[in-house]
Amino acid sequence: MSAATVTSAPSPLRRRALGIAAAVVAPLAIWAVGALAGVDYTVESPGQPATVIGAGAIAMIALGAALLGWATLALLERFAPRVARPVWISLAVVVTALSFVPVFSVEATGGAKLALGATHVAVAVALIALLPRPRR
């Protein structure tokens, strides 16, 4: 008789912490690949001086977005548990779409816009995949 292997899913807290970590590491990896490929991350907003988007800014913005996403999901789960997952995923998609407005409204190279846009998608994918509780 063979022993059955029992695998348990990670705890919700561990899964969400992994989601936060992935939401920070993934855009940093994209930024680093762009930097190694020679992407100039200098962006100019109308009426503002040119700014170079560095790894620190990428990490802080991704972390802030991830923690806000987690807090929003926790509130939805507390006050609207039946619809928390679909509402949160819908909100995440809308917020991701809106996050592209600054990418398109600044002056930057095509490579910078592509890489920065990819970082937005990477954060969203990590959070949407790992923050909500899996379907049963």
Side-chain angles (χ1 to χ4, degrees):
M1 183 184 253
S2 66
T5 305
V6 177
T7 58
S8 63
S11 72
L13 180 61
R14 178 174 285 176
R15 179 181 169 87
R16 289 180 177 177
L18 177 62
I20 300 298
V24 173
V25 171
L28 282 173
I30 291 167
W31 180 91
V33 168
L36 290 172
V39 172
D40 177 11
Y41 286 110
T42 302
V43 297
E44 293 182 46
S45 298
Q48 300 291 324
T51 304
V52 176
I53 306 296
I58 297 290
M60 294 307 295
I61 291 169
L63 179 60
L67 293 175
L68 282 172
W70 187 350
T72 302
L73 179 58
L75 287 171
L76 284 167
E77 288 174 340
R78 168 105 184 182
F79 295 108
R82 287 185 160 186
V83 297
R85 180 183 167 80
V87 167
W88 186 84
I89 290 172
S90 298
L91 280 171
V93 169
V94 168
V95 168
T96 301
L98 291 173
S99 77
F100 284 100
V101 171
V103 174
F104 295 129
S105 68
V106 298
E107 291 294 322
T109 65
K113 286 186 175 191
L114 180 65
L116 293 173
T119 64
H120 291 224
V121 173
V123 171
V125 168
L127 296 178
I128 291 170
L130 294 170
L131 286 191
R133 290 186 178 112
R135 289 186 190 162
R136 295 177 193 178

